[in-house]
Amino acid sequence: MSAPSTGTDVRVPFTELQDLLQAIFQRHGCSERVARVLAHNCASAQRDGAHSHGVFRMPGYVSTLASGWVDGQATPEVSDVAPGYVSVDAAGGFAQPALAAARELLVAKARTAGIAVLAIHNSHHFAALWPDVEPFADEGLVALSVVNSMTCVVPHGARQPLFGTNPIAFAAPCAEHDPIVFDMATSAMAHGDVQIAARAGQQLPEGMGVDASGEPTTEPKAILEGGALLPFGGHKGSALSMMVELLAAALTGGNFSWEFDWSGHPGAKTPWTGQVIIVIDPSKTEGERFAQRSRELVEQMKHAGLTRMPGERRYREREVAEEEGVAVTEQELQSLRELLG
Ligand code: NDP
Ligand code: PYC
């Protein structure tokens, strides 16, 4: 959904926004390396209109760093486990710097073996997932990633929340076209969008969540305060969310969404879990043909009447931002300056 925040938009050059965010991360205890990676991620989400994971997230990052829940200086430990397998202990830091530390090895393995897995554990992910996969498709690779979050979703047929909002992101190259990318929570709605709706005083569509007594509700605050989200698509989304728990936590050695206890760290917001990224080199079997076949698929979908491919809205927003600057509200800009102190 990613509804924009209310207020008057100003346009800020991407690098200016990124530098401001990096300065905030450093000001609140991140190393220069970690701050650069997180700032790029967050500024990119804002640029692409992925508002639930753009600058909206900055107060959450800052309160989490202040709580001591996450290590903003962590040095990830990369292990070359097998010909197609890399493991990273993020050392209680963020997942994106762990990916950055292992990326070169992961790509080399995928190009050699045709496929490689990156398993990250002991990591915090508080961001959109597409920035983790899209760059692989820019290099001609196919990538799939999953990350689990924090207990706030009731499995289909259950009575109590257990799963996280557990997104799945996928990216594939497409000839003479931007990569095909989708990135979606397996909950009916991302937790971030529920927070945005609560802040804006908006009701949600039906079927998103339940209140503290397990009754269906369209009131975002009822979901956030003791209630829970539902999976998208009933038992089907629930099965995908279960798969995310298995891959991102059980496979990596990370926490399931219900396994960490942040109650001793008031202000902590970042889930301490795990992440998997699977990278495939399609040139091993299909040469350049894979990207052509992707293109054919997109053309057929459009021919069938499709007017919006997943990812297209972001690419459009990105194009506008490249021309005019990244849209932020005056209020958001002011809050960012206050976070800089
Ligand atoms: P959305 O439902 O907004 O979008 C999901 C996907 O569907 C996107 O690829 C989007 O493309 C595409 N899409 C949306 N509407 C249409 C349409 N009408 N036709 C075709 N395609 C469409 O995403 P979510 O709310 O589920 O997730 C938002 C973000 O939250 C994600 O980036 C996710 O990674 C993040 N998240 C992160 C978590 C974490 O633990 N780190 C946990 C949960 C969510 P487009 O982008 O172009 O709109
Ligand atoms: O929007 O569901 C969400 C989310 C959880 C963790 C980071 N984002």
Side-chain angles (χ1 to χ4, degrees):
M1 285 234 322
S2 281
S5 318
T6 49
T8 317
D9 273 359
V10 287
R11 293 274 174 178
V12 182
F14 179 80
T15 49
E16 202 176 292
L17 179 63
Q18 186 177 243
D19 289 349
L20 173 60
L21 300 185
Q22 179 170 339
I24 295 169
F25 280 117
Q26 286 186 247
R27 159 87 178 74
H28 291 276
C30 289
S31 65
E32 194 266 339
R33 181 182 56 83
V34 169
R36 189 164 14 89
V37 171
L38 294 181
H40 182 74
N41 173 295
C42 188
S44 302
Q46 187 71 21
R47 176 200 63 201
D48 282 17
H51 291 108
S52 63
H53 291 81
V55 300
F56 166 73
R57 290 276 156 186
M58 289 305 290
Y61 276 115
V62 165
S63 66
T64 304
L65 285 158
S67 76
W69 172 243
V70 66
D71 182 356
Q73 310 258 336
T75 303
E77 202 175 304
V78 179
S79 303
D80 186 342
V81 178
Y85 210 109
V86 184
S87 164
V88 192
D89 180 347
F94 291 100
Q96 295 86 351
L99 164 59
R103 197 177 189 285
E104 202 178 317
L105 179 61
L106 176 67
V107 169
K109 281 182 181 291
R111 292 215 187 275
T112 306
I115 184 164
V117 174
L118 175 65
I120 303 173
H121 69 283
N122 197 5
S123 54
H124 295 248
H125 203 295
F126 197 50
L129 203 51
W130 60 262
D132 299 358
V133 292
E134 193 186 297
F136 291 105
D138 288 330
E139 294 178 48
L141 300 165
V142 176
L144 177 73
S145 183
V146 298
V147 63
N148 59 322
S149 65
M150 65 286 175
T151 289
C152 61
V153 177
V154 186
H156 182 76
R159 289 183 309 278
Q160 284 170 2
L162 186 73
F163 296 155
T165 42
N166 298 0
I168 302 175
F170 172 82
C174 183
E176 297 147 44
H177 207 271
D178 290 314
I180 299 174
V181 177
F182 75 77
D183 175 18
M184 51 175 224
T186 51
S187 48
M189 203 170 190
H191 197 264
D193 278 328
V194 183
Q195 293 173 53
I196 288 175
R199 193 178 62 180
Q202 288 164 351
Q203 293 289 299
L204 303 178
E206 281 178 15
M208 301 292 114
V210 291
D211 65 17
S213 1
E215 294 301 320
T217 182
T218 56
E219 174 51 61
K221 284 194 178 136
I223 292 176
L224 297 173
E225 292 160 15
L229 281 158
L230 296 171
F232 84 87
H235 63 283
K236 299 185 184 186
S238 196
L240 289 174
S241 190
M242 175 183 73
M243 177 194 77
V244 174
E245 294 289 347
L246 285 169
L247 291 178
L251 186 76
T252 64
N255 289 317
F256 284 122
S257 293
W258 62 90
E259 276 185 325
F260 55 85
D261 177 11
W262 49 15
S263 60
H265 296 265
K269 305 276 184 207
T270 60
W272 178 34
T273 56
Q275 178 179 9
V276 157
I277 302 177
I278 300 168
V279 178
I280 302 168
D281 180 0
S283 73
K284 284 284 179 253
T285 54
E286 290 293 300
E288 292 303 304
R289 219 169 96 78
F290 179 84
Q292 296 293 346
R293 296 288 283 158
S294 295
R295 180 66 194 244
E296 266 174 60
L297 175 66
V298 173
E299 278 167 6
Q300 287 301 324
M301 287 165 78
K302 296 212 161 159
H303 198 63
L306 189 88
T307 54
R308 176 178 168 186
M309 281 288 292
E312 246 173 30
R313 178 197 62 85
R314 282 193 306 100
Y315 291 136
R316 259 201 319 274
E317 297 253 3
R318 189 181 301 180
E319 245 177 68
V320 175
E322 275 157 8
E323 288 279 309
E324 299 175 11
V326 181
V328 286
T329 64
E330 290 278 11
Q331 202 182 333
E332 284 167 335
L333 208 50
Q334 180 57 29
S335 310
L336 292 177
R337 290 190 184 119
E338 282 164 18
L339 290 178
L340 199 50

